[in-house]
Amino acid sequence: MNATLVLPELDANSFWHDDSGFQGIYDVEHFIQTLRYDVQIVESIPEIHKNGKTKKIKAYQLRPPRDAPISWYLTEAMEQMKKHGAIYLTPFSHRLAEEIDNPEYQRLRCRVNYHALRFKPNIMKLSESIVDKLRAEGHFMSIHLRFEMDMLAFAGCFDIFKPEQQRILKKYREENFKEKKLVYKERRAIGKCPLTPEEVGLILRAMGFDNSTKIYLAAGELFGGEKFMKPFRALFPHLENHSSVDPSEELVTNTRGLLGSAVDYMVCLLSDIFMPTYDGPSNFANNLLGHRLYYGFRTTIRPDRKGLAPIFIDRENGRTAGFEEAVRHVMLKTNFGGPHKRVPPESFYTNSWPECFCQISAQNPADECPPDNVLDILNSRLESEARSNSQSLTQGNFSTSILER
């Protein structure tokens, strides 16, 4: 679009109730500098000075369709951009098609996600301190335990809860999601329900993890209370979270906000093993899976909920013979974070192989690794473009002054 990007705004209302914003958790200077070869970025919409008056551009609000193709941005969005001078795209989650037939655009996604987006120094320091404390006692695993009210309501998995809790979940679903008839037994049978904490523990035990395993839990407020955590805690008593490892005031006052989640993200990224329990529609889990794969194919455990569902249903019905062997059989077929071809519906954000990985001996020149002096080349190109723009601006001002006379 040849457009300038204004720093994104973060949604502070729907879930987080945290107004710290993009500048509050991300290193803005690093973000702008890292992407300087790709796109010009400003912190706010600039003012226009014309005829001695100062005017601020008012951005036109535009709702992109879900998974919009590039052509939508080059036609409809571009038309509104030219008409109004600025456009405000909201909401923006999943508003650009994941599969784009342009490897360079896909690589730009990786430059943004894995290089440009870096948390502020205080968050990085806090996260590294927690990781150091955990690792001082040996290896540790991180688990994104997705058993919160919003995800359970989204999945339509109510039947395991008490009547009052079911009413709360149904009310939340009615208020936040489209109406859809969901039958628990059908959802459960095809692996559409989040794993319970106990099921997570049983999977790990079947895979050979014993009760000495140190586990860091990245989770919001678990729905259903201690009743659901007690069996998991009995299997794995060495559980930690950011508040238990570092009970500092900074975290205590923002444990459920963006700061707490940012710290959770970094600890999960740096952990020896990462396990998401519900990675389907979870941006947190999907981005972590992709980030860990990008930074050296770090070990992940991704439960095959669909494959495990009938095994857990049999166990609930009293058929426990061969349970652990059946779980291992399913889990050994999963990928543990190694390189693998992306097959739909797997997300690009979960697996950026092969677009974001260069090849040392590439047959296709487009797949070759960049030269060692790539930054010098890019800086030279940027300086050349700046000189060209400066000359164009000077000529434009000269022409304008003649017209004004």
Side-chain angles (χ1 to χ4, degrees):
M1 293 178 71
N2 196 29
T4 296
L5 173 70
V6 180
L7 282 183
E9 292 182 1
L10 301 184
D11 178 7
N13 300 315
S14 65
F15 180 78
W16 297 108
H17 304 291
D18 184 333
D19 59 1
S20 52
F22 190 92
Q23 291 95 327
I25 62 166
Y26 288 114
D27 186 333
V28 170
E29 184 180 348
H30 176 80
F31 181 73
I32 294 173
Q33 278 294 105
T34 304
L35 296 175
R36 66 189 183 278
Y37 305 118
D38 295 295
V39 63
Q40 184 176 354
I41 303 172
V42 294
E43 294 196 31
S44 59
I45 296 179
E47 295 176 333
I48 298 174
H49 302 280
K50 189 175 182 181
N51 299 330
K53 295 182 179 180
T54 300
K55 182 182 178 183
K56 191 167 185 178
I57 302 173
K58 186 176 181 181
Y60 176 78
Q61 187 165 317
L62 194 60
R63 183 185 181 93
R66 189 175 177 87
D67 298 320
I70 287 178
S71 59
W72 183 87
Y73 290 92
L74 298 180
T75 53
E76 294 190 40
M78 184 72 84
E79 181 183 341
Q80 297 300 331
M81 171 84 80
K82 289 177 178 177
K83 184 177 178 181
H84 299 276
I87 54 175
Y88 178 52
L89 302 170
T90 181
F92 199 69
S93 180
H94 303 289
R95 301 294 155 168
L96 177 65
E98 287 197 17
E99 299 300 329
I100 297 175
D101 191 21
N102 185 322
E104 192 52 40
Y105 286 165
Q106 299 293 60
R107 291 180 192 123
L108 175 56
R109 279 177 154 153
C110 290
R111 286 197 289 279
V112 173
N113 285 350
Y114 311 137
H115 296 278
L117 283 172
R118 186 171 73 186
F119 295 121
K120 294 181 77 170
N122 66 306
I123 295 176
M124 298 296 281
K125 185 178 179 180
L126 188 57
S127 305
E128 288 163 5
S129 170
I130 289 174
V131 170
D132 288 343
K133 289 176 182 177
L134 289 168
R135 197 157 277 147
E137 301 177 19
H139 297 298
F140 76 95
M141 173 193 299
S142 62
I143 296 179
H144 183 220
L145 192 56
R146 200 70 168 96
F147 203 70
E148 296 110 334
M149 179 170 65
D150 64 318
M151 189 54 69
L152 289 162
F154 170 81
C157 300
F158 309 142
D159 291 32
I160 58 173
F161 297 100
K162 296 176 182 176
E164 179 58 31
Q165 293 170 329
Q166 289 187 33
R167 281 193 288 272
I168 294 171
L169 289 173
K170 288 174 181 176
K171 184 174 183 292
Y172 187 92
R173 180 172 178 83
E174 289 169 3
E175 293 173 351
N176 293 277
F177 305 110
K178 289 182 180 179
E179 186 177 348
K180 186 178 180 182
K181 186 180 179 181
L182 300 174
V183 180
Y184 171 73
K185 286 186 177 180
E186 294 175 0
R187 303 283 289 171
R188 178 90 161 85
I190 58 174
K192 292 294 184 181
C193 288
L195 294 169
T196 67
E198 181 180 20
E199 288 170 344
V200 174
L202 290 170
I203 292 169
L204 292 175
R205 185 54 61 85
M207 293 179 70
F209 293 94
D210 60 29
N211 62 4
S212 67
T213 305
K214 182 174 282 295
I215 295 175
Y216 178 90
L217 288 180
E221 185 175 351
L222 300 188
F223 192 77
E226 185 60 23
K227 171 192 171 183
F228 288 94
M229 274 303 295
K230 192 174 180 180
F232 182 64
R233 208 184 301 278
L235 291 168
F236 296 97
H238 299 287
L239 302 179
E240 303 282 3
N241 59 32
H242 55 236
S243 297
S244 66
V245 180
D246 191 322
S248 61
E249 185 179 349
E250 187 177 18
L251 269 175
V252 169
T253 56
N254 202 343
T255 186
R256 298 297 183 209
L258 292 174
L259 172 64
S261 293
V263 169
D264 280 347
Y265 186 96
M266 286 308 303
V267 175
C268 288
L269 177 63
L270 298 172
S271 63
D272 298 293
I273 300 173
F274 171 61
M275 179 181 184
T277 63
Y278 195 67
D279 57 322
S282 172
N283 290 335
F284 183 95
N286 283 343
N287 287 352
L288 266 168
L289 289 167
H291 208 154
R292 288 176 64 90
L293 182 135
Y294 184 82
Y295 276 115
F297 307 107
R298 295 175 176 175
T299 304
T300 60
I301 297 174
R302 296 180 66 180
D304 176 1
R305 296 193 310 277
K306 187 175 181 179
L308 291 167
I311 301 170
F312 281 118
I313 291 170
D314 281 347
R315 182 179 181 277
E316 289 165 12
N317 292 326
R319 295 186 288 274
T320 58
F323 171 77
E324 290 196 351
E325 185 180 346
V327 170
R328 283 193 295 273
H329 180 75
V330 170
M331 291 302 298
L332 286 173
K333 293 180 181 178
T334 63
N335 182 281
F336 289 92
H340 61 284
K341 186 177 180 181
R342 186 173 66 256
V343 178
E346 186 175 23
S347 167
F348 177 85
Y349 296 107
T350 297
N351 179 13
S352 59
W353 176 277
E355 292 93 335
C356 290
F357 295 79
C358 63
Q359 298 175 20
I360 296 173
S361 302
Q363 293 182 347
N364 184 348
D367 297 329
E368 290 179 354
C369 290
D372 293 337
N373 65 334
V374 63
L375 289 180
D376 294 333
I377 294 171
L378 291 171
N379 276 323
S380 176
R381 188 184 301 169
L382 200 63
E383 289 169 6
S384 176
E385 289 176 1
R387 283 195 298 270
S388 176
N389 290 339
S390 178
Q391 290 170 2
S392 299
L393 186 62
T394 302
Q395 291 169 0
N397 287 342
F398 180 70
S399 301
T400 303
S401 64
I402 293 174
L403 288 169
E404 286 173 353
R405 287 177 190 169

